[in-house]
Each structure stands twice: as structure tokens, then as C-alpha cells.
Amino acid sequence: MRPGDDLFLTIDHDLHPGQPPLHPDVSGTNDEAAASPGNLEDHLGGSDDALIGAARAQMLAYLALRSAPASHLRTVPVPADRASRHRRSGLTTPLEDDGLTVALRADARGAAPHIEQHTLRVGIRTMGLDDFLTCRIPGTEVHLGMSRKLFAACERLHEEDLAIARRTPGLRAEDLLAVDQGLSEDAQEEQRLTQRRIFREQQEEARPRLRPLLRDAYERGSTSDWSDLLRRPQEPELDLEGDESLLEAATPETYLAVSRYDLPPIHA
């Protein structure tokens, strides 16, 4: 990073053979799902604790989507059947080479000229597609997105976290100046650590109450319009044309795309 420039981060990793997806309604105990690192989204249908963990893990993506200007938001079609997404590596399914995704999107594009936008958005569901809300993160060529169901769960969890923050003096950013005034740096840091510990403890205490709340939000999200979830009068643009410069991938409930031209070359 240089003064005045952006910070770029790349990660080199070994290719992982991946694993087949689990059906979203797979049964399993909360403890079993919570103990599966990096695999929470495979258990959302049967584990309330996995749902809480996934919503918390995607909270920053939710907040980025929630705060983005309406003109920056769009929705992209992905196969609605999570079990149909064949993983090539890790937890994600590359979409540009996924035969089912390509075929379903082609069907939707063929129908688009003859159908009004709202009707088309409903119609793609009957074709086996879901539309994930996405947004390019400003200053980057990274596009993040998520499903209605996970967005609704994140919204409910965020409301609960805000309620905890309001009950914890000094935890919110607007309270820091008033709380920290007159304290040494060490005392301020100790105070912040104590506040965060209290916050985490209250989050855990709230878990039994959160389970049914997030489950209800998650299930209701599947039939909600994006305009209702975003609390805006208009639906985001449904993008059926796509962008050939993007490399797309999806997990069961999230979306990621990057520009193919910004990736480092593959060395033989």
C-alpha cells in the first residue's frame, strides 16, 4: 500500500478437491452443524445455530448491501436448487461453467422480451431460478450478494444486536467520545475489551430466543419481494444479460464475482 493508493490483497491457496453439497433440509443437530467449520450454509435447513452463525458471518456483506444506493444494486439469477450446484472446489460453485446455470439463464433471457419485469421476476422462480441481490463494493472489482432468505435472517439478527448495543453503554460509536474522555489509552482499551465481552455474553444469552426469530425470518424471506426486504419502493434491476468480464461463484446462500482481468495470471 502506498500513500493515497488503494490497498489490494491477493491470497494464494492450494486447490481443494471440495465436497458434494448437502441437501438444504439435511437433518443434523445444532451442535454437529456448529462444529463444521466453514460449512454452515450446508446445514441451514436443519440447524438454527448454523443459521445464526451464517447470518453473523455474512453481517458485513448484509450491511454493505443494505447501505448501497438503489442505483448500485441488481439481482442476478442462480439455480434455486442448492443441491444442484456442483462444487469444483471448496464451498463455492463457479457459475460461468455450470451447465445448469447457463441453460436456465438462457431460458430466462428468451422469455424476457415478452414479459413485464415484475412478472418475469416471479416467472424465473417457476423456471428453477432464484435472484440474489448483489452490489459492487466501491473502490474494488468485487461483487458481493446473498439470497432473500439469508438477507432476511441477517436483518433480524442485526436488529437484535442493535438492541444489545443500546443496552451496553459506550458500545456504539457515537458514545465512544463521551465514555473515553479523560481516560488513558490503556484504560480506554481495557474498557472497550470489557464492553465487547459483555456484548458477546449477551449475544450468547439471547441465542435460545434468537433461534425461532431467525428461523421465522429465514423462511419468510423466501417469499418476500426485494423491495420489501430493502424497504424501498422499487425492485432492483434484474440482470439477465450478465457481464462476460466477471467470474461468478455461489454458495448455497451467497454470491461472489470478480473481474477476470484483475486476477493474477496462472503460471504453469
Side-chain angles (χ1 to χ4, degrees), residues 15-268:
L15 182 64
H16 189 279
Q19 55 188 338
L22 298 178
H23 192 277
D25 294 326
V26 66
S27 61
T29 66
N30 287 339
D31 290 341
E32 289 173 347
S36 303
N39 205 31
L40 292 174
E41 288 184 43
D42 279 330
H43 300 271
L44 299 190
S47 169
D48 294 337
D49 283 335
L51 179 56
I52 293 173
R56 199 171 298 289
Q58 294 299 328
M59 189 57 68
L60 288 179
Y62 161 78
L63 293 173
L65 292 166
R66 178 97 231 178
S67 61
S71 59
H72 293 188
L73 295 172
R74 65 189 183 106
T75 63
V76 297
V78 297
D81 182 5
R82 275 62 171 166
S84 70
R85 300 182 197 162
H86 301 292
R87 295 173 182 171
R88 193 168 66 198
S89 62
L91 299 175
T92 62
T93 301
L95 298 181
E96 63 275 357
D97 295 326
D98 183 64
L100 179 61
T101 300
V102 173
L104 290 175
R105 286 180 173 181
D107 290 343
R109 283 194 298 271
H114 315 290
I115 303 178
E116 186 267 335
Q117 181 78 187
H118 175 74
T119 305
L120 177 63
R121 193 182 297 273
V122 175
I124 66 170
R125 295 192 184 185
T126 65
M127 299 178 186
L129 288 167
D130 193 3
D131 59 324
F132 281 25
L133 183 70
T134 72
C135 177
R136 183 177 69 84
I137 303 303
T140 75
E141 293 301 324
V142 176
H143 300 246
L144 296 179
M146 67 176 60
S147 70
R148 287 177 174 81
K149 297 170 76 172
L150 184 55
F151 189 94
C154 286
E155 179 181 46
R156 193 70 181 90
L157 181 60
H158 185 239
E159 290 173 354
E160 294 298 320
D161 281 350
L162 283 178
I164 293 175
R166 294 188 188 102
R167 299 195 301 267
T168 309
L171 191 62
R172 297 181 299 173
E174 55 266 38
D175 299 333
L176 291 180
L177 289 178
V179 173
D180 293 348
Q181 192 172 13
L183 297 178
S184 67
E185 290 187 7
D186 289 343
Q188 291 178 29
E189 180 62 20
E190 181 64 29
Q191 187 175 67
R192 283 191 286 271
L193 290 174
T194 299
Q195 290 163 345
R196 290 170 191 155
R197 177 180 54 78
I198 294 172
F199 182 66
R200 288 193 294 270
E201 288 174 352
Q202 291 192 42
Q203 285 179 325
E204 285 305 306
E205 290 175 3
R207 184 176 289 269
R209 183 174 55 83
L210 284 178
R211 291 185 181 118
L213 294 177
L214 262 67
R215 176 60 56 187
D216 179 65
Y218 180 76
E219 298 300 339
R220 285 189 293 105
S222 64
T223 57
S224 300
D225 290 335
W226 278 116
S227 56
D228 294 332
L229 291 172
L230 291 166
R231 301 176 188 175
R232 295 174 179 176
Q234 293 183 333
E235 290 277 289
E237 177 188 357
L238 174 60
D239 183 5
L240 294 178
E241 296 302 321
D243 185 341
E244 292 185 356
S245 69
L246 292 180
L247 296 173
E248 303 175 277
T251 69
E253 305 296 337
T254 66
Y255 172 90
L256 170 68
V258 296
S259 171
R260 68 174 71 238
Y261 303 118
D262 286 346
L263 297 179
I266 298 177
H267 299 289

